[in-house]
Amino acid sequence: MSEEKSVFKTLSEIDVKEHIDKKGQFSYLSWPWAVSEVMKRYPDMTYSVRKYDGGKLFTGDEKSGYMVSTEVTIQGITREMWLPIMDMRNKAVMKPTSTDVNKAVMRSLVKNLAMFGLGLYIYAGEDLPDVEPEPPKPITQENVNKISTMIKSIDELTGTDTTLAYVLKKYQINSLSDLADNNAKLVLDFVVMLHEKAVEKVEQEKTNEPS
């Protein structure tokens, strides 16, 4: 029992804050980092992926969804974990691809390591009700106008008409109205930076003009 506490205490004290990534509203740890941190402390750590009929790495059906399962052993302590095959919104994937299965297995492994203490608090909200996230609010016309005005000013300074196309490509949208309003400041800050660079370039060209 004391050995089990020692493993949990050691792994639960690792600061994972700098290694938490997000997909949608959900936080997770990168599996290479998680495995590496555990192996540094417990090189005897082993894990396995449960195989089902026909050697498949998952079980289930198209009605209820599919599930994968892993098992981790550290210093003689073995714990099992399972995880549904889910998309980025944590909704069940009814026709999983090999990529979906692979991602689910590695997420299950990280969750398995959490049972030994590593980043366990990340999963604290798993038992909360499954609430559908609110859709992002569309960008306001005021913010569209601010960004458009700045883009027009950049084109006037540079003598081009390519700034809008550049911004749309960078943010992978067809028009500024496709932006969510919570991204408006990010885009506005970006075009302000482009404007400042354009102004600097114009001033530098003036300075370099022969007198």
Side-chain angles (χ1 to χ4, degrees):
M1 184 64 70
S2 60
E3 186 175 51
E4 181 175 357
K5 286 184 178 179
S6 177
V7 172
F8 187 88
K9 185 174 186 300
T10 299
L11 295 182
S12 63
E13 289 176 350
I14 297 175
D15 186 356
V16 304
K17 291 195 298 292
E18 299 299 321
H19 303 278
I20 297 176
D21 293 319
K22 273 190 170 291
K23 281 190 177 179
Q25 292 185 320
F26 305 100
S27 302
Y28 69 97
L29 288 177
S30 161
W31 74 261
W33 180 84
V35 171
S36 174
E37 289 302 303
V38 175
M39 290 291 289
K40 286 177 186 177
R41 294 159 177 83
Y42 302 103
D44 67 324
M45 186 272 281
T46 61
Y47 79 92
S48 62
V49 182
R50 184 175 180 182
K51 294 184 179 180
Y52 299 88
D53 294 341
K56 293 190 301 183
L57 301 180
F58 60 94
T59 185
D61 55 60
E62 290 188 10
K63 292 183 178 180
S64 59
Y66 297 89
M67 185 86 67
V68 300
S69 179
T70 55
E71 188 176 87
V72 172
T73 300
I74 300 177
Q75 293 200 345
I77 306 164
T78 299
R79 292 195 175 101
E80 183 181 11
M81 184 46 63
W82 50 92
L83 193 75
I85 300 177
M86 300 177 290
D87 61 18
M88 289 179 61
R89 298 173 65 194
N90 273 22
K91 299 298 182 182
V93 176
M94 296 306 182
K95 293 184 179 180
T97 65
S98 57
T99 299
D100 294 325
V101 175
N102 178 66
K103 288 180 179 178
V105 166
M106 303 322 291
R107 288 175 66 187
S108 178
L109 175 58
V110 175
K111 191 175 180 182
N112 215 154
L113 295 175
M115 294 295 290
F116 288 88
L118 183 67
L120 181 60
Y121 64 86
I122 292 177
Y123 300 92
E126 275 206 346
D127 55 352
L128 296 176
D130 188 12
V131 178
E132 190 74 18
E134 292 185 7
K137 294 180 180 178
I139 190 170
T140 63
Q141 189 58 46
E142 180 184 2
N143 282 329
V144 170
N145 292 342
K146 286 180 180 179
I147 296 171
S148 297
T149 299
M150 191 63 66
I151 286 175
K152 183 179 179 181
S153 180
I154 294 169
D155 284 345
E156 290 174 351
L157 285 167
T158 59
T160 66
D161 60 355
T162 59
T163 307
L164 176 60
Y166 176 62
V167 171
L168 297 182
K169 182 177 180 181
K170 177 177 175 61
Y171 292 98
Q172 299 181 341
I173 52 177
N174 295 319
S175 69
L176 294 176
S177 60
D178 291 339
L179 284 168
D181 199 54
N182 58 358
N183 288 331
K185 186 178 185 304
L186 176 68
V187 178
L188 185 58
D189 288 345
F190 178 67
V191 295
V192 167
M193 180 269 292
L194 292 180
H195 186 269
E196 290 174 349
K197 285 188 175 182
V199 170
E200 289 177 4
K201 185 176 180 180
V202 170
E203 291 178 349
Q204 186 176 14
E205 288 173 352
K206 288 181 178 179
T207 302
N208 294 335
E209 287 180 355
S211 55

